[in-house]
């Protein structure tokens, strides 16, 4: 399935300094590509996760409301982007609060082909202080991704700006804490 992503877009995701994962937009939405930052965040190797739905990151204390919000987004093609805080678990069993931004990548006909998700560990105050840097990095990455996506017929339906604005808002809120 990774082959369906344009090479330039796939290479960009793999190089990104933001934890990124791409899944199909159909069926059980299995992961088709994750980058090294995703692997660093979760403790899983690429070959452990590609082909599997991201719910393997959920665990016993992941609340039903978070599960339902993710499920509703994935199964409602009318939603273009979403933001979720979910309790996830690394491969070693350590829990972390994962701030997940998801956006649908659509072809020129408007059909969702992939779901792009970025993740940020929101567990500690120190990491929250890093949101301003994450915001700047993600804003640059999303602008580049949007341009590449459009070149290859994948429209992000203004979700790049929405995600960037959401992160900027969270950065401002958390820097005031």
């Amino acid at each position: 399935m990774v082959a369906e992503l344009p090479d330039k877009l796939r290479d960009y995701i793999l190089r990104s300094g933001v934890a990124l994962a791409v899944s199909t937009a159909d069926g059980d939405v299995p992961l088709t590509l994750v980058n090294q930052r995703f692997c660093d965040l979760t403790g899983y190797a690429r070959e452990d996760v590609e082909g599997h739905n991201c719910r393997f990151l959920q665990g016993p204390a992941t609340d039903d409301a978070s599960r339902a919000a993710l499920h509703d987004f994935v199964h409602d093609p009318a939603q273009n982007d979403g933001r979720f805080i979910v309790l996830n678990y690394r491969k070693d069993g350590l829990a972390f609060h994962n701030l997940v931004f998801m956006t649908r990548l659509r072809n020129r006909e408007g059909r969702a082909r992939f779901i792009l998700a970025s993740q940020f560990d929101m567990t500690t105050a120190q990491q929250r202080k890093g949101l301003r840097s994450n915001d700047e990095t993600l804003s640059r990455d999303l602008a580049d991704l949007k341009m590449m996506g459009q070149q290859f017929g994948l429209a992000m339906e203004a979700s790049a700006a929405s995600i960037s604005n959401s992160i900027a808002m969270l950065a401002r809120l958390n820097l005031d804490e």
Side-chain angles (χ1 to χ4, degrees), residues 25-26 29 70-81 103-106 110-115 157:
D26 304 320
V29 294
L70 290 165
H71 178 273
D72 291 349
F73 174 82
V74 166
H75 295 288
D76 181 0
Q79 293 187 50
N80 285 315
D81 56 296
T103 188
R104 292 185 197 284
L105 303 178
R106 299 180 182 276
R111 182 178 154 264
R113 295 202 36 223
F114 302 100
I115 297 174
E157 304 274 334

Side-chain angles (χ1 to χ4, degrees), residues 102-133:
M102 299 171 81
T103 188
R104 292 185 197 284
L105 303 178
R106 299 180 182 276
N107 64 15
R108 291 185 179 152
E109 292 77 38
R111 182 178 154 264
R113 295 202 36 223
F114 302 100
I115 297 174
L116 172 67
S118 58
Q119 297 88 28
F120 299 92
D121 186 346
M122 295 295 293
T123 305
T124 67
Q126 182 61 33
Q127 288 162 324
R128 284 193 302 269
K129 289 179 183 175
L131 280 177
R132 184 174 302 227
S133 172

Side-chain angles (χ1 to χ4, degrees), residues 14-177:
L14 290 173
R15 286 191 320 266
S16 177
V18 174
L20 296 174
V22 178
S23 71
T24 64
D26 304 320
D28 197 36
V29 294
L31 293 172
T32 61
L33 180 67
V34 298
N35 66 5
Q36 186 58 47
R37 293 289 295 203
F38 176 93
C39 296
D40 295 342
L41 175 64
T42 66
Y44 287 93
R46 200 172 276 130
E47 56 272 6
D48 293 336
V49 302
E50 290 177 354
H52 300 280
N53 181 291
C54 246
R55 74 178 146 266
F56 67 86
L57 292 171
Q58 298 173 9
T62 304
D63 64 75
D64 290 339
S66 295
R67 292 176 202 261
L70 290 165
H71 178 273
D72 291 349
F73 174 82
V74 166
H75 295 288
D76 181 0
Q79 293 187 50
N80 285 315
D81 56 296
R83 176 183 52 177
F84 313 93
I85 296 179
V86 60
L87 185 66
N88 281 161
Y89 292 83
R90 293 182 174 90
K91 186 175 183 177
D92 64 7
L94 185 64
F96 69 103
H97 292 278
N98 193 359
L99 176 60
V100 181
F101 293 90
M102 299 171 81
T103 188
R104 292 185 197 284
L105 303 178
R106 299 180 182 276
N107 64 15
R108 291 185 179 152
E109 292 77 38
R111 182 178 154 264
R113 295 202 36 223
F114 302 100
I115 297 174
L116 172 67
S118 58
Q119 297 88 28
F120 299 92
D121 186 346
M122 295 295 293
T123 305
T124 67
Q126 182 61 33
Q127 288 162 324
R128 284 193 302 269
K129 289 179 183 175
L131 280 177
R132 184 174 302 227
S133 172
N134 288 344
D135 178 42
E136 292 167 3
T137 301
L138 185 61
S139 291
R140 284 189 309 271
D141 286 355
L142 287 173
D144 292 344
L145 281 170
K146 183 176 180 181
M147 180 184 67
M148 282 187 280
Q150 289 172 341
Q151 288 174 350
F152 294 105
L154 299 172
M156 290 192 212
E157 304 274 334
S159 56
S162 176
I163 291 172
S164 181
N165 290 337
S166 295
I167 292 175
M169 177 193 68
L170 287 169
R172 285 189 298 275
L173 291 172
N174 285 298
L175 289 173
D176 292 338
E177 289 183 357

